[in-house]
Amino acid sequence: MGITQWVLRDAPDGDTTAQNMPDQTMSARMVSVNPEDSAGEDASKKPTPVVEVLKQSVPKRTQVAAVQQSVSDVISLDALRVRVAECTACELAASRTQTVFGEGPDQADWLFIGEAPGQQEDRQGKPFVGRAGGLLTQMIRALDKTREQVFILNTLKCRPPGNRDPLPAELKACEPFLLKQIQLIQPKVIVALGKTSAQALLNSDQALGKLRGQVYQYGPDSIPLIVSYHPAYLLRQPTDKGKVWADLLLAHRQLPV
Ligand code: URA
Protein backbone atom coordinates (compact mmCIF):
# COMPACT_ATOMS: atom_id res chain seq x y z
CA MET A 1 0.00 0.00 0.00
CA GLY A 2 3.04 2.23 0.34
CA ILE A 3 2.10 3.27 3.87
CA THR A 4 4.72 2.48 6.48
CA GLN A 5 3.50 1.06 9.75
CA TRP A 6 2.86 3.55 12.58
CA VAL A 7 3.80 2.76 16.13
CA LEU A 8 2.28 4.39 19.21
CA ARG A 9 4.34 2.55 21.82
CA ASP A 10 6.78 4.80 23.67
CA ALA A 11 5.66 7.88 21.76
CA PRO A 12 5.60 10.50 24.49
CA ASP A 13 2.68 12.87 24.74
CA GLY A 14 2.91 15.49 22.08
CA ASP A 15 5.61 13.63 20.20
CA THR A 16 4.56 13.47 16.61
CA THR A 17 7.79 11.88 15.43
CA ALA A 18 6.59 8.32 15.57
CA GLN A 19 8.62 5.65 13.86
CA ASN A 20 8.96 6.18 10.13
CA MET A 21 7.10 9.44 10.16
CA PRO A 22 7.75 11.55 7.10
CA ASP A 23 9.73 14.75 7.30
CA GLN A 24 7.12 17.44 8.01
CA THR A 25 8.95 20.14 6.07
CA MET A 26 9.33 17.84 3.11
CA SER A 27 5.69 16.89 3.21
CA ALA A 28 4.63 20.53 3.31
CA ARG A 29 6.74 21.24 0.27
CA MET A 30 5.53 18.18 -1.59
CA VAL A 31 1.83 18.67 -1.04
CA SER A 32 0.09 19.42 -4.28
CA VAL A 33 -3.39 18.17 -3.48
CA ASN A 34 -5.78 20.51 -1.76
CA PRO A 35 -6.44 19.03 1.70
CA GLU A 36 -9.99 20.25 1.42
CA ASP A 37 -10.61 17.63 -1.23
CA SER A 38 -9.90 14.98 1.33
CA ALA A 39 -13.31 13.59 2.00
CA GLY A 40 -13.68 11.30 -0.97
CA GLU A 41 -13.20 7.57 -1.09
CA ASP A 42 -11.23 7.73 -4.32
CA ALA A 43 -9.84 10.17 -6.82
CA SER A 44 -12.33 9.05 -9.48
CA LYS A 45 -15.24 10.64 -7.63
CA LYS A 46 -17.37 12.65 -9.98
CA PRO A 47 -18.36 16.16 -8.90
CA THR A 48 -22.08 16.55 -8.32
CA PRO A 49 -23.71 18.76 -10.98
CA VAL A 50 -24.56 22.17 -9.54
CA VAL A 51 -28.22 21.83 -10.55
CA GLU A 52 -28.45 18.60 -8.59
CA VAL A 53 -26.89 20.20 -5.51
CA LEU A 54 -29.30 23.12 -5.67
CA LYS A 55 -32.27 20.82 -6.18
CA GLN A 56 -31.39 18.69 -3.21
CA SER A 57 -29.77 21.21 -0.89
CA VAL A 58 -32.99 21.83 1.00
CA PRO A 59 -34.08 18.74 2.87
CA LYS A 60 -37.75 17.96 2.81
CA ARG A 61 -38.97 18.85 6.28
CA THR A 62 -41.35 15.95 6.46
CA GLN A 63 -38.54 13.51 5.72
CA VAL A 64 -36.23 14.91 8.39
CA ALA A 65 -39.12 14.95 10.83
CA ALA A 66 -39.88 11.33 9.98
CA VAL A 67 -36.32 10.27 10.78
CA GLN A 68 -36.33 12.29 13.98
CA GLN A 69 -39.57 10.62 14.97
CA SER A 70 -38.22 7.17 14.12
CA VAL A 71 -35.26 7.55 16.50
CA SER A 72 -37.06 9.34 19.31
CA ASP A 73 -38.02 6.20 21.25
CA VAL A 74 -34.86 4.22 20.47
CA ILE A 75 -32.74 3.24 23.45
CA SER A 76 -30.33 0.68 22.01
CA LEU A 77 -27.98 0.42 19.06
CA ASP A 78 -29.67 -2.79 17.94
CA ALA A 79 -33.03 -1.05 17.74
CA LEU A 80 -31.44 1.90 15.96
CA ARG A 81 -29.87 -0.44 13.40
CA VAL A 82 -33.34 -1.67 12.48
CA ARG A 83 -34.64 1.89 12.05
CA VAL A 84 -31.70 2.75 9.83
CA ALA A 85 -32.29 -0.33 7.68
CA GLU A 86 -35.93 0.69 7.20
CA CYS A 87 -35.13 4.30 6.27
CA THR A 88 -36.35 5.70 2.96
CA ALA A 89 -36.06 9.37 3.88
CA CYS A 90 -33.84 10.37 0.99
CA GLU A 91 -33.21 9.25 -2.56
CA LEU A 92 -30.20 7.15 -1.60
CA ALA A 93 -32.57 4.45 -0.36
CA ALA A 94 -33.46 3.64 -3.96
CA SER A 95 -29.91 3.00 -5.13
CA ARG A 96 -28.35 1.35 -2.08
CA THR A 97 -27.74 -2.38 -1.81
CA GLN A 98 -28.12 -2.09 1.95
CA THR A 99 -27.60 0.42 4.73
CA VAL A 100 -24.25 0.57 6.51
CA PHE A 101 -24.95 1.23 10.16
CA GLY A 102 -21.39 1.04 11.43
CA GLU A 103 -19.76 -1.45 13.75
CA GLY A 104 -18.03 -1.70 17.08
CA PRO A 105 -18.70 -2.43 20.73
CA ASP A 106 -21.77 -0.76 22.22
CA GLN A 107 -19.62 1.31 24.52
CA ALA A 108 -16.44 1.96 22.60
CA ASP A 109 -13.99 4.59 23.90
CA TRP A 110 -12.95 5.57 20.38
CA LEU A 111 -15.42 6.62 17.71
CA PHE A 112 -14.21 7.19 14.14
CA ILE A 113 -16.68 8.91 11.83
CA GLY A 114 -16.17 8.81 8.06
CA GLU A 115 -18.19 10.21 5.22
CA ALA A 116 -20.37 7.61 3.51
CA PRO A 117 -20.22 4.00 2.38
CA GLY A 118 -18.43 3.29 -0.90
CA GLN A 119 -19.01 0.42 -3.27
CA GLN A 120 -17.43 -2.28 -1.09
CA GLU A 121 -19.20 -1.03 2.03
CA ASP A 122 -22.54 -0.96 0.20
CA ARG A 123 -21.98 -4.57 -0.88
CA GLN A 124 -20.82 -5.87 2.47
CA GLY A 125 -22.91 -3.71 4.79
CA LYS A 126 -19.82 -2.78 6.85
CA PRO A 127 -17.96 0.52 7.11
CA PHE A 128 -14.45 1.07 5.78
CA VAL A 129 -13.81 -2.31 4.18
CA GLY A 130 -12.18 -0.98 1.00
CA ARG A 131 -8.66 0.40 0.56
CA ALA A 132 -9.32 3.40 2.77
CA GLY A 133 -10.58 0.97 5.37
CA GLY A 134 -7.28 -0.92 5.25
CA LEU A 135 -5.48 2.28 6.07
CA LEU A 136 -7.93 3.15 8.84
CA THR A 137 -7.24 -0.28 10.33
CA GLN A 138 -3.51 0.54 10.33
CA MET A 139 -4.19 3.86 12.01
CA ILE A 140 -6.17 2.08 14.71
CA ARG A 141 -3.45 -0.55 15.14
CA ALA A 142 -0.92 2.25 15.60
CA LEU A 143 -2.96 3.32 18.61
CA ASP A 144 -2.50 -0.15 20.07
CA LYS A 145 -6.14 -0.91 19.41
CA THR A 146 -7.90 -3.35 17.13
CA ARG A 147 -10.80 -2.52 14.85
CA GLU A 148 -13.00 -4.61 17.10
CA GLN A 149 -12.26 -2.32 20.05
CA VAL A 150 -13.38 0.91 18.40
CA PHE A 151 -16.62 2.06 16.81
CA ILE A 152 -16.52 3.04 13.13
CA LEU A 153 -19.42 4.68 11.36
CA ASN A 154 -20.27 7.25 8.71
CA THR A 155 -22.25 10.46 8.54
CA LEU A 156 -24.39 8.84 5.81
CA LYS A 157 -25.67 5.29 6.12
CA CYS A 158 -26.25 4.80 2.38
CA ARG A 159 -23.86 4.98 -0.54
CA PRO A 160 -24.13 8.02 -2.79
CA PRO A 161 -24.19 6.76 -6.40
CA GLY A 162 -20.75 6.78 -8.03
CA ASN A 163 -19.28 7.75 -4.65
CA ARG A 164 -20.21 11.36 -5.25
CA ASP A 165 -20.09 13.77 -2.33
CA PRO A 166 -23.07 13.61 0.03
CA LEU A 167 -25.64 16.32 -0.68
CA PRO A 168 -26.69 18.71 2.10
CA ALA A 169 -30.22 17.29 2.09
CA GLU A 170 -28.90 13.76 2.52
CA LEU A 171 -26.69 14.79 5.42
CA LYS A 172 -29.58 16.59 7.06
CA ALA A 173 -31.95 13.66 6.62
CA CYS A 174 -29.41 11.21 8.07
CA GLU A 175 -28.31 13.44 10.94
CA PRO A 176 -30.76 12.14 13.56
CA PHE A 177 -29.27 8.67 13.12
CA LEU A 178 -25.75 10.00 13.62
CA LEU A 179 -26.69 12.00 16.70
CA LYS A 180 -28.48 9.03 18.21
CA GLN A 181 -25.51 6.76 17.55
CA ILE A 182 -23.18 9.14 19.38
CA GLN A 183 -25.67 9.52 22.22
CA LEU A 184 -25.92 5.75 22.64
CA ILE A 185 -22.24 4.88 22.23
CA GLN A 186 -21.04 7.69 24.52
CA PRO A 187 -17.43 7.48 23.30
CA LYS A 188 -14.59 9.08 25.22
CA VAL A 189 -13.15 10.61 22.08
CA ILE A 190 -14.43 11.20 18.53
CA VAL A 191 -12.22 11.40 15.45
CA ALA A 192 -13.92 13.06 12.48
CA LEU A 193 -12.33 11.73 9.30
CA GLY A 194 -12.39 14.23 6.44
CA LYS A 195 -14.20 17.39 5.54
CA THR A 196 -17.74 16.05 5.26
CA SER A 197 -17.68 14.43 8.66
CA ALA A 198 -15.92 17.35 10.37
CA GLN A 199 -18.18 20.01 8.89
CA ALA A 200 -21.33 18.02 9.65
CA LEU A 201 -20.35 17.37 13.26
CA LEU A 202 -19.11 20.88 13.94
CA ASN A 203 -21.83 22.54 11.88
CA SER A 204 -19.12 24.48 10.11
CA ASP A 205 -18.17 25.33 6.56
CA GLN A 206 -14.51 25.92 7.37
CA ALA A 207 -11.81 24.13 5.43
CA LEU A 208 -10.44 20.93 6.90
CA GLY A 209 -7.00 22.47 7.36
CA LYS A 210 -8.55 25.15 9.58
CA LEU A 211 -10.54 22.66 11.63
CA ARG A 212 -7.59 20.38 12.40
CA GLY A 213 -5.33 20.78 15.40
CA GLN A 214 -7.97 21.73 17.96
CA VAL A 215 -9.96 19.88 20.58
CA TYR A 216 -13.69 20.52 20.26
CA GLN A 217 -16.24 19.64 22.92
CA TYR A 218 -19.03 17.79 21.19
CA GLY A 219 -22.67 17.82 22.31
CA PRO A 220 -24.23 18.09 25.74
CA ASP A 221 -21.72 15.60 27.17
CA SER A 222 -18.75 17.61 25.88
CA ILE A 223 -17.10 14.65 24.21
CA PRO A 224 -13.65 15.64 22.92
CA LEU A 225 -13.66 15.72 19.12
CA ILE A 226 -10.59 15.85 16.88
CA VAL A 227 -10.60 16.48 13.14
CA SER A 228 -8.26 14.62 10.83
CA TYR A 229 -7.80 13.74 7.19
CA HIS A 230 -9.86 11.04 5.57
CA PRO A 231 -7.86 7.83 4.97
CA ALA A 232 -8.80 7.99 1.27
CA TYR A 233 -7.04 11.34 1.06
CA LEU A 234 -4.04 9.85 2.82
CA LEU A 235 -3.87 7.08 0.24
CA ARG A 236 -3.46 9.75 -2.41
CA GLN A 237 -1.23 11.95 -0.28
CA PRO A 238 0.82 9.64 1.98
CA THR A 239 3.26 12.44 2.79
CA ASP A 240 0.57 13.86 5.08
CA LYS A 241 0.52 10.82 7.33
CA GLY A 242 2.64 12.70 9.89
CA LYS A 243 -0.22 15.16 10.31
CA VAL A 244 -2.68 12.35 10.84
CA TRP A 245 -0.38 10.81 13.40
CA ALA A 246 -0.29 14.14 15.24
CA ASP A 247 -4.10 14.23 15.16
CA LEU A 248 -4.33 10.71 16.55
CA LEU A 249 -1.92 11.53 19.35
CA LEU A 250 -3.95 14.62 20.17
CA ALA A 251 -7.06 12.43 20.31
CA HIS A 252 -5.24 9.86 22.45
CA ARG A 253 -4.33 12.54 24.97
CA GLN A 254 -8.02 13.30 25.51
CA LEU A 255 -8.68 9.86 26.97
CA PRO A 256 -8.96 9.73 30.74
CA VAL A 257 -5.86 8.18 32.35
N1 URA B 1 -15.14 6.13 3.05
C1 URA B 1 -15.92 6.49 4.09
O1 URA B 1 -16.01 7.67 4.41
N2 URA B 1 -16.59 5.56 4.72
C2 URA B 1 -16.52 4.26 4.41
O2 URA B 1 -17.17 3.46 5.06
C3 URA B 1 -15.70 3.90 3.35
C4 URA B 1 -15.02 4.84 2.69
Side-chain angles (χ1 to χ4, degrees), residues 38-243:
S38 66
E41 160 66 22
D42 55 49
S44 62
K45 257 187 166 185
K46 295 185 195 73
T48 310
V50 174
V51 175
E52 194 60 19
V53 175
L54 289 176
K55 232 173 43 185
Q56 300 199 33
S57 59
V58 182
K60 294 194 182 84
R61 270 188 201 201
T62 47
Q63 293 173 332
V64 178
V67 180
Q68 273 164 350
Q69 174 65 28
S70 93
V71 304
S72 60
D73 62 338
V74 166
I75 53 166
S76 75
L77 286 169
D78 282 346
L80 186 60
R81 183 188 299 273
V82 174
R83 300 289 160 87
V84 167
E86 292 168 348
C87 181
T88 55
C90 78
E91 294 180 6
L92 297 182
S95 55
R96 73 184 179 217
T97 305
Q98 58 192 312
T99 53
V100 180
F101 181 74
E103 61 184 5
D106 281 7
Q107 254 128 55
D109 285 353
W110 286 83
L111 174 58
F112 292 86
I113 305 182
E115 176 181 307
Q119 187 179 44
Q120 290 301 320
E121 291 77 19
D122 174 70
R123 281 192 190 145
Q124 298 184 37
K126 291 166 184 267
F128 281 99
V129 288
R131 279 186 74 220
L135 183 50
L136 178 59
T137 305
Q138 283 191 33
M139 289 160 55
I140 293 165
R141 295 289 309 166
L143 291 162
D144 261 350
K145 295 271 167 202
T146 64
R147 262 185 83 114
E148 292 69 35
Q149 290 175 309
V150 306
F151 214 107
I152 303 171
L153 52 81
N154 286 303
T155 50
L156 286 192
K157 313 305 177 207
C158 297
R159 180 193 181 204
N163 293 352
R164 64 155 168 72
D165 288 339
L167 298 174
E170 294 161 354
L171 289 166
K172 200 75 205 153
C174 222
E175 190 178 60
F177 290 135
L178 178 63
L179 300 184
K180 194 70 167 190
Q181 284 180 308
I182 298 172
Q183 189 190 330
L184 290 170
I185 298 166
Q186 284 289 309
K188 302 237 175 356
V189 65
I190 298 172
V191 182
L193 299 166
K195 181 180 74 170
T196 300
S197 168
Q199 291 184 341
L201 288 161
L202 297 173
N203 197 18
S204 165
D205 57 5
Q206 281 205 295
L208 188 84
K210 289 237 161 65
L211 294 173
R212 277 186 62 244
Q214 295 177 53
V215 182
Y216 302 91
Q217 303 298 318
Y218 179 82
D221 300 312
S222 299
I223 303 168
L225 185 151
I226 310 297
V227 171
S228 194
Y229 291 114
H230 193 285
Y233 164 78
L234 213 49
L235 285 174
R236 304 194 295 273
Q237 200 64 27
T239 49
D240 272 349
K241 73 176 182 178
K243 293 183 186 169

